[in-house]
Amino acid sequence: MSRVALVSGGTRGIGSAIALALKTAGYKVAANYAGNEEKANAFRDVTGIPVFKWDVSSYEACVDGIARVEAELGPVEVLVNNAGITRDAMFHKMSPAQWNEVINTNLTGLFNMTHPVWSGMRDRSFGRIINISSINGQKGQMGQANYSAAKAGDLGFTKALAQEGAAKNITVNAICPGYIATEMVMAVPEKVMNERILPQIPVGRLGQPEEIARCVVFLASDEAGYITGSTISANGGQYFA
Ligand code: NDP
């Protein structure tokens, strides 16, 4: 019987690679998204993966959205908390709205998505939670006090929940990507990319979304059952946590 996997922000970027890799590995996959209908519909049409729109920063929307997924596919056994945004600014220019949007999506979104599936995973004595954090949550990044704080929070969440889930065969792990070639990173000005970012990456290139997706497929597998509370750093050697 194939397991059900839900990927937040699963319709483009890293999330779409994760959703596709899980489907290829035999999972029944649902991909959530926030509002980019064009990308979501194109992804659904090409992959056959059903897409579900809701905002992970709203608890009520997550409860409702997950209920829709479970009605269509069955209980969620693998949850990939991938949805994330940036609202970069140096701290002295950062607005409360920039802070709150990033914290609400990138940190509180993990509570909102995980809480509705947690009791079911406990009842069935199986679960896999995989949180997509960031290298910038490990090391901090200027211009990203909001994002760094949220992504560091994701790692604390991962470690605490891993301890709570262990006795119920629920593993909770994190992946910290470095710079991955998605629209989020392509928004970085070319000069900054070439002069400041690429020289910091020992392998000399951006990562590919599929390289993160392969880590997710491994952590979701039955074979990874002894790995919980861990962080996989996938950053081309840029930072050793
Ligand atoms: P993209 O911007 O390419 O895609 C983001 C996805 O998340 C989209 O599907 C988007 O939906 C969805 N999303 C955004 N906000 C919400 C929300 N409130 N509710 C539901 N869905 C939402 O991002 P990436 O693929 O680059 O990043 C994926 C994850 O990886 C993020 O958590 C990011 O922080 C993390 N990461 C990325 C790195 C990189 O180099 N790219 C490096 C380190 C970490 P829609 O299309 O509808 O807008």
Side-chain angles (χ1 to χ4, degrees):
M1 189 195 68
S2 59
R3 296 193 190 283
V4 173
L6 169 60
V7 183
S8 74
T11 54
R12 60 188 170 94
I14 294 171
S16 64
I18 293 170
L20 193 53
L22 286 168
K23 184 183 179 190
T24 305
Y27 292 83
K28 281 192 277 181
V29 182
N32 147 269
Y33 68 107
N36 188 329
E37 307 288 355
E38 195 184 331
K39 284 279 164 66
N41 291 339
F43 176 77
R44 180 201 56 210
D45 293 346
V46 169
T47 62
I49 293 171
V51 298
F52 297 83
K53 177 171 146 182
W54 75 84
D55 178 356
V56 300
S57 71
S58 159
Y59 183 72
E60 291 71 26
C62 289
V63 170
D64 175 68
I66 289 168
R68 284 188 279 136
V69 168
E70 296 198 326
E72 200 167 307
L73 300 185
V76 173
E77 294 163 293
V78 176
L79 172 65
V80 186
N81 285 313
N82 165 79
I85 57 168
T86 52
R87 298 285 183 269
D88 296 354
M90 294 298 280
F91 188 63
H92 62 284
K93 292 184 178 169
M94 186 174 284
S95 67
Q98 286 173 313
W99 174 268
N100 288 328
E101 280 178 47
V102 169
I103 297 294
N104 291 343
T105 302
N106 297 8
L107 178 57
T108 309
L110 269 62
F111 173 84
N112 296 341
M113 288 292 291
T114 308
H115 199 262
V117 302
W118 190 250
S119 294
M121 288 182 175
R122 283 172 50 83
D123 291 346
R124 293 185 300 275
S125 290
F126 180 85
R128 295 282 186 265
I129 311 282
I130 299 151
N131 300 318
I132 308 301
S133 176
S134 168
I135 186 176
N136 291 345
Q138 295 172 300
K139 69 173 187 56
Q141 176 60 44
M142 64 185 294
Q144 290 194 325
N146 50 3
Y147 185 85
S148 299
K151 293 296 187 178
D154 293 345
L155 298 179
F157 176 79
T158 299
K159 291 171 192 171
L161 217 53
Q163 294 173 52
E164 293 193 24
K168 294 288 187 182
N169 196 25
I170 305 169
T171 67
V172 188
N173 291 291
I175 299 171
C176 285
Y179 286 96
I180 308 299
T182 69
E183 286 171 47
M184 182 182 276
V185 161
M186 293 313 167
V188 174
E190 197 179 341
K191 189 173 159 65
V192 176
M193 177 60 69
N194 289 334
E195 294 178 12
R196 303 242 312 262
I197 294 178
L198 285 177
Q200 292 173 20
I201 306 174
V203 304
R205 63 171 177 85
L206 299 178
Q208 293 301 315
E210 293 74 19
E211 294 179 298
I212 305 305
R214 282 192 280 275
C215 300
V216 172
V217 172
F218 171 62
L219 290 173
S221 70
D222 286 4
E223 290 75 12
Y226 203 58
I227 301 172
T228 194
S230 290
T231 299
I232 295 180
S233 297
N235 59 35
Q238 191 184 347
Y239 184 77
F240 303 118

